[in-house]
Amino acid sequence: STKHNPTSMANMAHSMTRHNAARAAVRTTARRSTAPARRAPPAPRATTTEQQTSATVLPSTHTESSSANLEQLKGTSTNRYAQETKSSIISIGLTVSSAPVEIREKLAVKQEEWGTAISELCNYPHIEEAAVLSTCNRMEVYVVGMSYHRGVREVEEWMSKQSGIPLDELRPYLFLLRDRDAVNHVLQVSAGLDSLVMGEGQILAQVKSVFQVGQDAPGFGRTLNGLFKQAIQAGKRVRAETGIAKGAVSVSSAAAELAQMKLPSKRFSDAKVCIIGAGTMSRLLVKHLVSKGCTDMTIVNRSYPRVEELQADFPDANITAKLSPDLMECVEASDVIFAASSSEDILISKADVEKMAAPSDAVGGVRRFFDISVPRNIARDITELEAGHCYNVDDLKEVVDANKEARMEAAREAMGVLEEERQAFEAWHESLASVPVIKRLRAKAEQIRSSELEKAMSKLGDGLTKKQRKTLEEMSRAICNKLTHGPMQALRADGTDLEAIEEMLQSMRTIEKIYGLQPNMEEIAAEKAAQKRAKQA
């Protein structure tokens, strides 16, 4: 089956061009799949870290890698859940490069609803932690799953329910990443390497928002907290240490650029401009329009305060404030209309525009709409009108392709920075592996101590005084603590010191072997079952 569209980002030496080509190849293969429908959804697949490190040569395509993983899964025991000795970091989602806006807008989640989404995801039995990143260009879910396979299925179920899109229709647009690949991905997202406009700064602010929302969400646990903290640091470093941000544009500036390109005279002085919304995207629009010589514009919003803030912040611009009831009047009086509101509804339909008088010959008799809202606010079929044309986020690629080579060189420099940040996160994350070993060592030491103390007490008979019994108890605990002090120290390390972490992991494996601390599959299954019951309680 090729229903999934797994993407691997682990090969850091590949150029961004090859990376994008590979993703496109996988999507094409997925959409051309003629495999018969199955009653049960196919098992999720991704290239695992273990497979990457053990293989000397990566498969030539992601499709081959996915097929190899599926065959390996077929050969494993049916109880894969019990075989997973540790939780997985999983990333599932879609972006502007893998899914059209018609799909993205159905999955979009407002920032004020991210906390609710985290709670809903963590209510599933195999999801321990969750985070949501939803922007106009992407909708991604990050989870820590007790079981990789079951966790993926639960996220897919939530996404299908959230969007109202049947899973079989949604899957071809999704990417699926695990562990190191998922870590690499969020680092690249924060650095602006995975954006439609490479190096754009708005995505770093959005990643920060994920972290901030997570501080008030119980489901945003220790692992994702550490991962997004590392991603924010990576985004800052890349912009400070490379040229990725030089000449970079945001979605708003790309929209302003595209609008200028589409005007017959290439000048805003010949056009009347209207902006719908007064939020962050609109603020950026005003900034870039002013820089291109557009100083007269009308901003339509639900209330005046935000528009008044823009008027104060951009004194060189002649901004007219209007309220939402005046929207159609403002649109008819304008030649170029930008939609950047938070509304989830279509605000301007084909029928609305059809009734309006045609624009002046100075703009070619065409009223141009630039919709950078997700969900969309302007009906796409306006383009069918002789006097109307609608552009959306997907049309910005025409602007983005400019100066691509310069940004690609900066991206190659950024990958070195991201490699360092990935190693730092993995060192910290691996240092957490010693916690269950410490618990098992303490439990085993206590079991031996209490057992041997009980035997000694039994041999000494009932003649011992209360003080003598207390002395023996304290002595046994002191001996136990002194004997385990050395191993305990060996299992602790500075999470930022890579060499210390590696040394600790070697010590951990040795201690597990000497003391027989490796958990068996039955114990792991029992522990996960207990965690599941605790989540549902």
Side-chain angles (χ1 to χ4, degrees):
S1 171
T2 53
K3 289 288 184 185
H4 277 293
N5 181 19
T7 306
S8 173
M9 297 187 185
N11 190 352
M12 304 294 281
H14 282 191
S15 70
M16 296 297 290
T17 303
R18 289 186 61 188
H19 168 70
N20 290 334
R23 291 180 69 169
V26 177
R27 287 197 302 275
T28 302
T29 303
R31 291 174 182 171
R32 292 179 179 173
S33 171
T34 57
R38 299 182 181 180
R39 295 181 64 185
R45 308 181 296 278
T47 305
T48 64
T49 302
E50 291 80 3
Q51 287 169 326
Q52 291 163 354
T53 53
S54 61
T56 54
V57 180
L58 284 171
S60 58
T61 68
H62 297 304
T63 305
E64 288 180 26
S65 177
S66 300
S67 299
N69 286 331
L70 181 58
E71 290 303 315
Q72 184 180 31
L73 290 175
K74 289 179 180 177
T76 61
S77 165
T78 55
N79 190 9
R80 293 192 297 263
Y81 179 45
Q83 288 184 331
E84 297 179 44
T85 59
K86 65 177 184 177
S87 299
S88 297
I89 300 173
I90 305 165
S91 175
I92 305 176
L94 41 77
T95 70
V96 66
S97 60
S98 70
V101 67
E102 292 84 356
I103 298 294
R104 298 199 311 276
E105 67 185 1
K106 291 180 180 179
L107 271 166
V109 180
K110 290 184 177 181
Q111 183 174 326
E112 53 265 33
E113 297 173 0
W114 288 358
T116 302
I118 290 171
S119 297
E120 291 175 353
L121 285 161
C122 288
N123 282 336
Y124 285 92
H126 302 96
I127 296 177
E128 298 173 283
E129 304 178 26
V132 173
L133 172 60
S134 181
T135 74
C136 61
N137 284 334
R138 66 184 65 249
M139 195 287 174
E140 301 177 354
V141 174
Y142 295 84
V143 301
V144 176
M146 284 186 249
S147 163
Y148 166 60
H149 301 87
R150 299 185 188 188
V152 168
R153 289 182 187 277
E154 289 167 358
V155 174
E156 288 181 326
E157 181 183 328
W158 179 85
M159 294 179 85
S160 179
K161 182 180 178 181
Q162 167 77 13
S163 63
I165 304 174
L167 193 52
D168 286 345
E169 294 179 21
L170 182 61
R171 272 186 175 143
Y173 299 104
L174 297 177
F175 66 77
L176 169 60
L177 302 168
R178 180 184 187 183
D179 293 333
R180 178 171 292 184
D181 290 342
V183 173
N184 282 336
H185 178 67
V186 70
L187 295 179
Q188 291 183 17
V189 167
S190 184
L193 300 190
D194 196 61
S195 297
L196 173 65
V197 183
M198 190 182 295
E200 56 106 352
Q202 194 173 0
I203 187 61
L204 178 57
Q206 290 160 339
V207 170
K208 288 179 180 177
S209 295
V210 175
F211 182 79
Q212 290 165 355
V213 169
Q215 303 313 298
D216 298 321
F220 190 78
R222 178 169 58 179
T223 297
L224 292 183
N225 190 80
L227 177 58
F228 275 86
K229 187 181 292 184
Q230 201 80 49
I232 292 168
Q233 179 173 311
K236 290 178 178 177
R237 279 193 62 196
V238 164
R239 288 168 176 79
E241 299 176 22
T242 73
I244 193 72
K246 289 182 179 178
V249 288
S250 64
V251 170
S252 297
S253 66
E257 180 75 20
L258 182 62
Q260 188 175 36
M261 289 168 56
K262 297 302 179 181
L263 287 171
S265 66
K266 311 299 181 189
R267 297 191 308 270
F268 281 107
S269 57
D270 296 332
K272 298 173 183 177
V273 175
C274 175
I275 299 174
I276 304 170
T280 303
M281 299 281 275
S282 297
R283 174 175 291 275
L284 291 171
L285 265 173
V286 173
K287 173 185 174 182
H288 292 290
L289 287 170
V290 170
S291 72
K292 295 179 182 298
C294 177
T295 55
D296 292 306
M297 62 192 79
T298 299
I299 298 181
V300 182
N301 198 44
R302 285 174 289 190
S303 60
Y304 284 120
R306 282 196 170 183
V307 183
E308 290 170 350
E309 287 179 19
L310 293 174
Q311 289 173 327
D313 292 343
F314 296 95
D316 294 336
N318 180 22
I319 299 175
T320 302
K322 292 286 185 176
L323 294 179
S324 298
D326 299 322
L327 175 61
M328 292 305 164
E329 180 185 334
C330 294
V331 170
E332 185 168 11
S334 303
D335 305 311
V336 175
I337 299 93
F338 296 94
S341 83
S342 59
S343 173
E344 295 185 357
D345 302 317
I346 294 293
L347 302 179
I348 304 172
S349 68
K350 177 182 176 182
D352 294 327
V353 179
E354 206 166 11
K355 301 173 187 175
M356 299 176 182
S360 68
D361 292 337
V363 293
V366 177
R367 183 173 284 107
R368 294 171 176 83
F369 297 84
F370 298 86
D371 190 357
I372 56 176
S373 303
V374 177
R376 291 169 296 169
N377 292 163
I378 299 176
R380 187 64 189 260
D381 59 359
I382 287 174
T383 300
E384 297 171 5
L385 300 174
E386 185 177 346
H389 198 104
C390 179
Y391 303 88
N392 61 38
V393 174
D394 293 353
D395 297 309
L396 300 182
K397 294 174 184 176
E398 184 177 343
V399 176
V400 172
D401 287 339
N403 301 320
K404 193 172 184 178
E405 203 53 46
R407 292 197 301 274
M408 292 294 291
E409 180 58 37
R412 283 187 280 270
E413 295 175 15
M415 295 302 272
V417 175
L418 296 186
E419 174 67 8
E420 293 175 7
E421 294 298 325
R422 179 192 62 76
Q423 289 179 358
F425 170 76
E426 289 186 346
W428 170 81
H429 193 234
E430 287 175 353
S431 71
L432 302 180
S434 66
V435 175
V437 178
I438 290 173
K439 290 180 179 179
R440 290 197 295 269
L441 178 58
R442 282 176 175 164
K444 183 157 189 174
E446 175 58 24
Q447 179 186 7
I448 293 171
R449 184 200 69 80
S450 59
S451 175
E452 293 304 315
L453 178 62
E454 186 178 344
K455 289 178 185 178
M457 294 284 199
S458 178
K459 289 178 181 179
L460 291 171
D462 299 330
L464 292 174
T465 65
K466 189 175 181 179
K467 182 177 180 180
Q468 288 170 333
R469 287 179 176 276
K470 183 180 179 181
T471 300
L472 286 173
E473 175 82 20
E474 291 175 348
M475 181 184 70
S476 67
R477 289 190 184 279
I479 292 172
C480 181
N481 290 339
K482 288 184 182 297
L483 287 174
T484 57
H485 177 73
M488 293 291 187
Q489 289 299 107
L491 291 174
R492 292 186 173 89
D494 180 359
T496 62
D497 188 333
L498 295 178
E499 291 184 6
I501 293 293
E502 182 59 34
E503 187 177 328
M504 181 275 291
L505 292 174
Q506 291 177 0
S507 298
M508 185 181 75
R509 288 188 284 269
T510 301
I511 290 169
E512 281 184 317
K513 186 174 181 180
I514 291 174
Y515 290 96
L517 301 177
Q518 298 95 330
N520 56 45
M521 293 305 169
E522 289 75 15
E523 290 175 342
I524 293 171
E527 183 180 341
K528 289 183 176 181
Q531 291 174 341
K532 174 183 174 180
R533 288 193 297 271
K535 279 174 65 69
Q536 293 175 332

